Amino acid sequence: SFVKELERVGVGRPSTYSSIISTLRSRAYLGTPSTRMLSSGKQQIAARGSRISAQRAAGGAEFMGSARGPLFPSITAFVVCALLERYCPTFVDPAFTAEMELKLDIIAEGAGSRCSYLSEYYEGPHGLKKNVTDMMDLVTAEEARRVILPSLNKLSDLALETQKYNESRDIGLFIGPWGPYVQWVNLDSTGTDNKPKAAPLPLGMTADLSTLTRESLVALLETQEKDGVILGSHPELKKNIRLKFGRFGAYLQVGETGDKDTTTHTVPPEFGGMGGRNIKMEDMSYLSEILADETKETDESSREESPCGLSLEQAIKYVNLPRTIAELNGSPLIVGLGRYGPFLKYNNSYVSIPREDDVLTIDAERAMQLVSDASAKNQTGRKSRSAIASLGEKDGHIIEVCQGRFGFYLKWKGINAKIPADYLENPTEVPLEQAWSNIQDKAREQPNSRVKITKNSKALEVSLPPKPKRPLTSYLYFCAEKREEVSKNAKKLGEISKELARLWGVLEDKSPYENRASAAKQGYEDCKRAWEEQCKIIRQDSTSGSKSATLPTSKSPKIDSGTSHVKSPGVKKPISAYLHFAATHRSEISKSGSSFSEISKELSQRWKDCDDNARKPYEELAAADKIRYAQELGELPSIEVTLPVHNFNSTKKQMKRSPTAYMLFCATNRVKVVGDDGKKLGFGPTAKRLAEMWSECDAATKATFQAMATDAKLNSVYKEIQQ
């Protein structure tokens, strides 16, 4: 085995064998090809970035296979080994690797110098740097891609007898970004080919190096050149059926290449299809014999046997796939053959056909049985892997009790919710209605979730009070106390945050802030327990038949029936010092006719340039505004408002917004915007032209439309008051 060979030559040690194999696999030098094509559901080696190109060159994910199985060398490994053995022979010599390990052990024991060893290894007269530089200068593109195998230099007896090969051209095996391919090289000067012919190498042949001979590669390439081997004519379609080879092995083509109605069809692995893993040397030899004899190539009746063992009758049956073999519940039951093997298709669902059944001879009864068995496994009510119990069905989906990394939880569709506190010890005994209530509460906390709960649920008619706000931590209490002091020296938010973090780190006595945080946390826990108890009572009332409840709501009260406590809307919120500054200087800057974004940038820049003395008047205004807000807020207690029942099915009537100065300008000048031919322009060009006209207007014109907009807004407010 590979590990025994490493032990024999003295390379590596037991602790490094695993990493050596892992590195060789990640670089696609080794693979574990499967006997069948791997489907997307199978475990495969994950590849990213440059590793994707390495896997394609080696034969694709089908060659890399799963993480377990016998190891096979890839053709990429032969290319790399040939280059290293020619240009860096010292570094790929097992004796050099074994000697290097001994030197490293000496350095680890302190008897050697690591700097002198690394300098000699990298920059010495025969070091790595010189070898790589020479290789980069001497290696050609063809040599860096060509695979050198001993089997490609030998000719079979058939080739020697027929004298098919001549010295004017040779055949080469290369690796490319999309996988290995075969190509003619060294064409003579009298050849008519301007571009060398190439054919993809079936992925299955990359796992069996015994099939990579000159004869098999020539057969692949000449099959590509002659557009496949004609097996015969389809009796109904009256078109030729050709056997061809591609990246995934042998396949059938009905019709001529280039025609619109030409179709291709998969053949099973026993005939060299679905990856080409079972392509045999005798098949390729007989294929070469057919291509060499013009009579056998054009007249299929003169052949002693069928190419790759595939007869015309069998080819016709595979071409006729997929086919409908039965009707099940009014829907067709279709049997077919795809890239991953034979399958049954019913109601847009696919079921694999076992190996013991033949895709050509399977009957309707057996197909219905396979579909029924698969449907029973994939039914809606089956439990997930982590589910330990099913509580019942809601809205067509099962509510399950699952066990995860952090304990038990409820799962419905794509929503995970907590187990009620009373059932943590016995999660399987959670009542269905209580579990459904927790699921709905979790869904409301995820407004952006794709999972939607139908509006027919009773719990949606219940309005719950807002959840208590989480308390501040000790660090946040510290920041709230020191922020004003720190902001005198630091203007930017990032600088303030860094300085606060530094002061918190050097603070020795943090107990005052920790005590405040602990008291706040205790108060939060009490409020949360009261809130949970209140929600529990409300849910019980809603399930017992009560239609309304008196609930404290959040700042934006919902339009529900019942009584709600809301703050009076008459208190105007305070504004910051910067907004006072902007209100004072905005009119001065806007005289230049700048746009809104330019005015905002200029105001921001002026505020940054202000010193403490210049900012002081505006900060005093902001402080006075805060005091005013606190006083007004204290004088106006919360009032009880009874909200009317709202019909959500009716159309909401919204007040029409008054037009702006620019909108009035557009309404006046829209008719003037026409094209060169005098016709109206589209919406986009018209809007663009109106924007240009508005920017070119002088201050007097803009003032006229601004006055019109002010009048329109006053009229709108007056009408609203009257209503």
Side-chain angles (χ1 to χ4, degrees), residues 257-279:
T257 303
D259 293 348
K260 293 182 179 180
D261 54 350
T262 299
T263 58
T264 57
H265 305 268
T266 307
V267 295
E270 54 265 27
F271 300 115
M274 295 167 54
R277 184 69 186 271
N278 294 328
I279 295 179

Side-chain angles (χ1 to χ4, degrees), residues 433 436-438 440-441 444 453-464 539 542-543:
E433 294 301 328
W436 179 234
S437 178
N438 285 17
Q440 291 173 322
D441 293 343
R444 293 189 192 96
I453 299 178
T454 59
K455 295 184 179 180
N456 297 327
S457 302
K458 293 182 179 180
L460 291 181
E461 301 174 2
V462 180
S463 296
L464 299 177
R539 292 193 186 101
S542 64
T543 55

Side-chain angles (χ1 to χ4, degrees), residues 258-324:
D259 293 348
K260 293 182 179 180
D261 54 350
T262 299
T263 58
T264 57
H265 305 268
T266 307
V267 295
E270 54 265 27
F271 300 115
M274 295 167 54
R277 184 69 186 271
N278 294 328
I279 295 179
K280 303 175 182 178
M281 273 303 303
E282 51 268 24
D283 295 334
M284 303 308 296
S285 300
Y286 186 65
L287 192 63
S288 299
E289 182 180 346
I290 293 176
L291 295 173
D293 192 338
E294 295 183 0
T295 303
K296 292 183 179 181
E297 181 183 356
T298 56
D299 184 11
E300 58 273 9
S301 60
S302 61
R303 304 169 187 167
E304 294 82 3
E305 57 186 70
S306 303
C308 295
L310 183 63
S311 64
L312 176 60
E313 291 75 15
Q314 291 173 317
I316 293 174
K317 292 180 180 180
Y318 287 118
V319 166
N320 291 335
L321 294 178
R323 61 187 177 90
T324 302

Side-chain angles (χ1 to χ4, degrees), residues 37-324:
M37 296 291 291
L38 290 174
S39 63
S40 57
K42 298 283 186 179
Q43 181 185 6
Q44 299 180 11
I45 300 298
R48 297 179 180 178
S50 59
R51 293 184 181 180
I52 296 178
S53 298
Q55 285 192 7
R56 288 173 180 168
E62 289 79 10
F63 172 79
M64 298 304 300
S66 60
R68 296 181 179 180
L71 296 173
F72 290 84
S74 68
I75 57 177
T76 308
F78 286 92
V79 175
V80 175
C81 287
L83 291 174
L84 293 178
E85 288 174 354
R86 181 173 180 180
Y87 296 99
C88 302
T90 303
F91 297 95
V92 294
D93 186 3
F96 168 80
T97 306
E99 182 183 356
M100 180 185 67
E101 291 184 353
L102 293 176
K103 291 182 179 179
L104 293 178
D105 291 338
I106 293 174
I107 294 173
E109 294 172 358
S113 174
R114 62 183 179 89
C115 294
S116 59
Y117 175 75
L118 291 175
S119 178
E120 181 183 358
Y121 177 87
Y122 183 70
E123 294 183 344
H126 301 287
L128 181 63
K129 182 178 180 180
K130 184 177 184 304
N131 281 267
V132 173
T133 303
D134 295 342
M135 183 171 61
M136 295 297 292
D137 295 337
L138 299 176
V139 173
T140 62
E142 180 178 333
E143 185 180 4
R145 293 184 289 109
R146 189 166 185 177
V147 183
I148 304 299
L149 296 174
S151 58
L152 297 181
N153 298 324
K154 298 179 181 179
L155 294 178
S156 65
D157 297 337
L158 175 64
L160 294 174
E161 292 175 2
T162 58
Q163 298 181 356
K164 181 178 178 180
Y165 305 103
N166 53 62
E167 298 179 355
S168 62
R169 64 178 183 175
D170 191 12
I171 192 167
L173 177 60
F174 300 88
I175 57 173
W178 298 102
Y181 62 94
V182 186
Q183 188 178 54
W184 291 121
V185 292
N186 299 330
L187 290 175
D188 57 1
S189 58
T190 60
T192 59
D193 296 86
N194 296 324
K195 183 179 180 180
K197 299 293 184 180
L201 182 72
L203 299 179
M205 297 181 68
T206 61
D208 188 1
L209 298 182
S210 63
T211 61
L212 298 180
T213 61
R214 287 177 57 93
E215 189 175 3
S216 62
L217 299 186
V218 168
L220 287 174
L221 194 51
E222 291 193 344
T223 304
Q224 178 82 0
E225 288 181 337
K226 297 183 179 181
D227 200 21
V229 178
I230 299 177
L231 299 179
S233 178
H234 196 286
E236 299 177 0
L237 302 177
K238 305 301 181 183
K239 295 180 180 180
N240 288 332
I241 300 178
R242 298 175 182 270
L243 176 65
K244 304 180 72 173
F245 291 89
R247 184 167 178 257
F248 299 105
Y251 65 95
L252 298 173
Q253 176 180 300
V254 181
E256 303 300 325
T257 303
D259 293 348
K260 293 182 179 180
D261 54 350
T262 299
T263 58
T264 57
H265 305 268
T266 307
V267 295
E270 54 265 27
F271 300 115
M274 295 167 54
R277 184 69 186 271
N278 294 328
I279 295 179
K280 303 175 182 178
M281 273 303 303
E282 51 268 24
D283 295 334
M284 303 308 296
S285 300
Y286 186 65
L287 192 63
S288 299
E289 182 180 346
I290 293 176
L291 295 173
D293 192 338
E294 295 183 0
T295 303
K296 292 183 179 181
E297 181 183 356
T298 56
D299 184 11
E300 58 273 9
S301 60
S302 61
R303 304 169 187 167
E304 294 82 3
E305 57 186 70
S306 303
C308 295
L310 183 63
S311 64
L312 176 60
E313 291 75 15
Q314 291 173 317
I316 293 174
K317 292 180 180 180
Y318 287 118
V319 166
N320 291 335
L321 294 178
R323 61 187 177 90
T324 302

Side-chain angles (χ1 to χ4, degrees), residues 535-546:
C535 292
K536 185 176 181 181
I537 295 173
I538 293 171
R539 292 193 186 101
Q540 291 176 354
D541 293 341
S542 64
T543 55
S544 63
S546 61

